[in-house]
Amino acid sequence: MTSPSLNRRVATSMLTLPAAALLSAALWAAGGFSPARTGGLAAAVLTIYMVAELNNRFSLLRVRSRMMSSTLVLMLAVDAGSHAWSAEALVPAGLLAAAFLLFEGYGKPAEPGFTFHAMLAVSLTAFVFPPVLLLVPVWLFSAGVHLQMLSWRSFLAAVCGLLLPWWLCGAWVVWSGTWAEAAARAGEWLQTPGGIVLGLAAWTPERAAQALLLLAASAVGAVHLWCTANDDKLRPRAALQTLSLQWAASVALVALWPGTAAWRVFMLFSAMLAGHGFATTEGRGAARWFGLCLTATAALAAAQLCGLWKLWPAF
């Protein structure tokens, strides 16, 4: 029988993150070594470190735990499509930088520098994946409602931070006369997304299975977060509520743009919410749910390691 305290023991153990890292290293090495995979690994390590630091700096978990970063480590490892380097691998890091700045500015509406630099980080990230700009209204809503840092000054600073890179880019286009290249690039960015139905071809069986697992685990974590929000201190509560709204927006984002960049955003926020749920829930049902998710993750890892997904077309 599954121990009722299994999830809490795993969540608070100092061995959880090293064990997850070792398993991830084995899965990463199984795909071979190349400069592209090494670059992808470096981007993954940067993202994991930023998640761990975000948790430590703002005490996102009520217990001493590395469950958020451990969950992300495993999810990155079992998703072979995220192992290769591309500029899109830095999209989660850009959003985490924005989260750092906004959380640091909690309750400081008279200091517009936080919103300026946070939106500047999002705007720079948009040069790699423009649809992240759709997350800006969610960030600003949370800045005003949850983080209590939005005033007219900080709002205008956010707008300036958001527009500054694009204004500089426009100035460069005017100075260099590269109108045709800029128009072609803008046309690529403004293409209509495939949508949920038209984008089904982008979902491989292994990514669809992982998406279902992440969606279920993060949804449970989000519901638990909002139901027990009053148990948290004010700033951690505001930060977690902000992350939960970003998770909801990332679900819509990955449904409309079912590509690697949107998937990385969805995986980031889903892993953080799922890890929060694993670390803070209690009781026999919570332990069984954690055991079920752990078993499903192990099955995904085994399928990748043994190459079972390659047999899918035969069915």
Side-chain angles (χ1 to χ4, degrees), residues 1-304:
M1 180 180 294
T2 303
S3 172
S5 60
L6 173 64
N7 59 314
R8 296 303 293 270
R9 292 207 310 269
V10 172
T12 55
S13 173
M14 296 299 292
L15 297 176
T16 298
L17 184 57
L22 286 175
L23 176 60
S24 300
L27 292 171
W28 218 286
F33 294 95
S34 67
R37 291 179 64 82
T38 303
L41 179 60
V45 170
L46 173 64
T47 303
I48 293 162
Y49 171 77
M50 293 182 72
V51 169
E53 187 61 27
L54 192 74
N55 178 37
N56 293 336
R57 177 77 65 87
F58 302 107
S59 303
L60 298 182
L61 295 176
R62 299 172 210 139
V63 295
R64 187 177 182 83
S65 173
R66 299 176 180 177
M67 205 62 198
M68 282 186 174
S69 48
S70 299
T71 304
L72 182 59
V73 166
L74 291 176
M75 290 298 103
L76 285 170
V78 300
D79 180 42
S82 300
H83 290 184
W85 161 259
S86 68
E88 294 175 344
L90 297 177
V91 171
L95 295 179
L96 286 171
F100 263 101
L101 291 161
L102 289 177
F103 296 169
E104 193 67 41
Y106 170 78
K108 301 175 183 176
E111 299 183 28
F114 292 110
T115 54
F116 173 84
H117 289 99
M119 291 302 102
L120 179 63
V122 175
S123 187
L124 291 173
T125 304
F127 277 94
V128 179
F129 182 53
V132 297
L133 293 175
L134 296 177
L135 302 179
V136 169
V138 185
W139 284 120
L140 293 179
F141 175 83
S142 292
V145 176
H146 301 125
L147 299 172
Q148 302 174 26
M149 59 181 298
L150 205 62
S151 62
W152 280 112
R153 287 180 61 195
S154 57
F155 175 76
L156 291 176
V159 173
C160 290
L162 195 64
L163 295 180
L164 178 61
W166 301 94
W167 181 83
L168 293 175
C169 184
W172 166 259
V173 169
V174 172
W175 181 80
S176 62
T178 54
W179 297 97
E181 293 83 350
R185 184 64 173 166
E188 294 176 5
W189 287 348
L190 295 174
Q191 285 180 353
T192 304
I196 298 175
V197 177
L198 297 179
L200 287 178
W203 291 92
T204 59
E206 58 267 34
R207 182 160 288 183
Q210 187 180 357
L212 290 175
L213 172 61
L214 270 173
L215 186 61
S218 56
V220 171
V223 171
H224 179 264
L225 184 158
W226 283 92
C227 290
T228 62
N230 290 332
D231 295 338
D232 292 306
K233 295 180 180 179
L234 291 179
R235 186 159 76 166
R237 181 198 309 173
L240 288 168
Q241 290 172 337
T242 300
L243 290 175
S244 68
L245 291 186
Q246 287 296 315
W247 164 78
S250 73
V251 173
L253 193 69
V254 78
L256 292 173
W257 278 272
T260 304
W263 169 253
R264 291 178 187 272
V265 175
F266 168 73
M267 184 161 46
L268 169 67
F269 292 119
S270 296
M272 294 181 73
L273 282 188
H276 180 274
F278 294 147
T280 56
T281 51
E282 295 182 281
R284 190 178 301 273
R288 288 177 174 172
W289 172 246
F290 174 74
L292 178 63
C293 292
L294 194 61
T295 302
T297 303
L300 289 173
Q304 180 191 327

